[in-house]
């Protein structure tokens, strides 16, 4: 099963890009990478997901390496409200037609004024 | 559209008791998943329901059970509570299980004394 590794914490200056890495070196071909974030005392919030192509939405960009062994979540212009714990998640299908989810330990991002 | 609601928000129980937590998904969402979050173990997947059927289950003992009703509302039950069951229990809903763009509720904080 795929496992994910994330740095425990990162700081980023307000207005700068925040680049959050995730290592999923054992990922296989049909396993998606998802990113969520959790602001203190709230439930996690979906950010973005991808399989092998880079993805962008109104919140962030997701860059997945060609070998798919790692990915980077990019918040282009971090604000103080982006301070949160960011989780990298691998979802993979099981033989029974369901899915299993492997959560990273999360990166605590602190955006500094 | 109202978000995912969970009741109660806070709960204190003693060892050996049982507890039932409730989750109302976003209107139109038929898939409900449950997660346990603790400082030591992070986010862990408990189970997932779709159309009143459990489709997936994490690695938790049989003391943890759940069900889903015809209106998609879900409950989870923990019997014979242990101190280690103290955690934030999160519920998430989505339109169907093949999507991982889930919407989380605020969680129920369970404290076992």
């Amino acid at each position: 099963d795929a496992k994910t590794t994330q740095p425990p914490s990162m700081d980023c200056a307000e207005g700068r890009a925040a680049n959050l890495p995730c290592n999923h070196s054992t990922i296989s071909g049909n396993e998606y990478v998802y990113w969520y974030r959790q602001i203190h005392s709230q439930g996690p919030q979906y950010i973005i997901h991808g399989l092998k192509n880079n993805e962008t939405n109104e919140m962030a960009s997701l860059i997945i390496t060609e070998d798919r062994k790692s990915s980077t979540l990019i918040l282009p212009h971090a604000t103080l409200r982006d301070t949160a714990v960011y989780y990298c998640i691998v979802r993979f299908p099981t033989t029974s037609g369901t899915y299993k989810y492997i959560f990273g330990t999360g990166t605590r991002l602190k955006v500094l004024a | 559209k109202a978000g995912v609601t969970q009741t109660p928000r806070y709960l204190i129980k003693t060892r050996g008791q049982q507890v039932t937590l409730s989750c109302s998904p976003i209107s139109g969402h038929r898939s409900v998943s449950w997660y346990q979050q603790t400082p030591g173990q992070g986010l862990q997947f408990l189970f997932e329901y779709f159309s009143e059927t459990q489709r997936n289950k994490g690695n938790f003992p049989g003391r943890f059970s759940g069900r889903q009703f015809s209106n998609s509302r879900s409950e989870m039950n923990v019997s014979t509570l242990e101190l280690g069951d103290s955690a934030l229990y999160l519920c998430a809903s989505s339109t169907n299980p093949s999507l991982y763009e889930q919407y989380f509720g605020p969680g129920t904080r369970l404290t076992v004394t």
Side-chain angles (χ1 to χ4, degrees):
Chain A
D1 295 348
K3 294 183 180 178
T4 65
T5 304
Q6 299 177 253
S9 64
M10 292 181 65
D11 289 342
C12 176
E14 189 177 21
R16 304 296 294 268
N19 298 286
L20 294 94
C22 179
N23 182 289
H24 32 78
S25 58
T26 58
I27 199 170
S28 64
N30 56 357
E31 299 175 357
Y32 280 78
V33 178
Y34 287 76
W35 283 82
Y36 277 71
R37 72 180 183 184
Q38 187 171 25
I39 296 171
H40 184 61
S41 299
Q42 298 181 21
Q45 175 191 23
Y46 166 82
I47 301 173
I48 199 167
H49 74 278
L51 182 61
K52 54 183 177 180
N53 298 320
N54 298 338
E55 302 288 344
T56 295
N57 63 20
E58 64 279 3
M59 287 183 68
S61 294
L62 175 60
I63 308 297
I64 302 175
T65 57
E66 193 169 341
D67 62 9
R68 302 207 330 116
K69 294 183 183 301
S70 66
S71 61
T72 300
L73 177 74
I74 300 173
L75 307 178
H77 306 287
T79 71
L80 297 178
R81 286 178 293 181
D82 292 323
T83 293
V85 178
Y86 288 77
Y87 292 98
C88 169
I89 300 163
V90 172
R91 186 195 79 162
F92 59 97
T94 68
T95 54
S96 62
T98 59
Y99 295 94
K100 283 195 172 181
Y101 317 106
I102 305 295
F103 292 90
T105 52
T107 296
R108 187 172 298 276
L109 175 69
K110 187 174 182 179
V111 180
L112 306 172
Chain B
K1 184 185 276 191
V4 177
T5 57
Q6 293 187 244
T7 56
R9 292 292 311 277
Y10 302 92
L11 202 52
I12 299 175
K13 291 284 189 179
T14 56
R15 273 187 306 173
Q17 287 186 314
Q18 74 161 12
V19 66
T20 299
L21 311 181
S22 180
C23 171
S24 293
I26 291 173
S27 177
H29 285 193
R30 295 169 60 196
S31 175
V32 173
S33 296
W34 288 89
Y35 300 84
Q36 181 195 66
Q37 186 172 33
T38 60
Q41 299 296 321
L43 267 168
Q44 296 187 87
F45 171 74
L46 277 157
F47 28 64
E48 176 183 46
Y49 286 88
F50 179 69
S51 295
E52 301 177 66
T53 302
Q54 186 181 90
R55 287 177 50 92
N56 203 356
K57 191 176 189 302
N59 296 322
F60 278 81
R63 301 185 297 107
F64 292 81
S65 63
R67 59 178 176 168
Q68 186 181 36
F69 302 96
S70 58
N71 62 358
S72 295
R73 190 177 70 84
S74 178
E75 289 180 347
M76 67 162 282
N77 184 276
V78 187
S79 63
T80 319
L81 284 165
E82 300 177 359
L83 295 179
D85 297 332
S86 294
L88 180 66
Y89 290 88
L90 292 159
C91 164
S93 75
S94 64
T95 52
N96 67 69
S98 66
L99 298 177
Y100 202 68
E101 185 175 345
Q102 297 187 324
Y103 297 85
F104 282 79
T108 293
R109 173 76 61 184
L110 172 65
T111 301
V112 182
T113 61

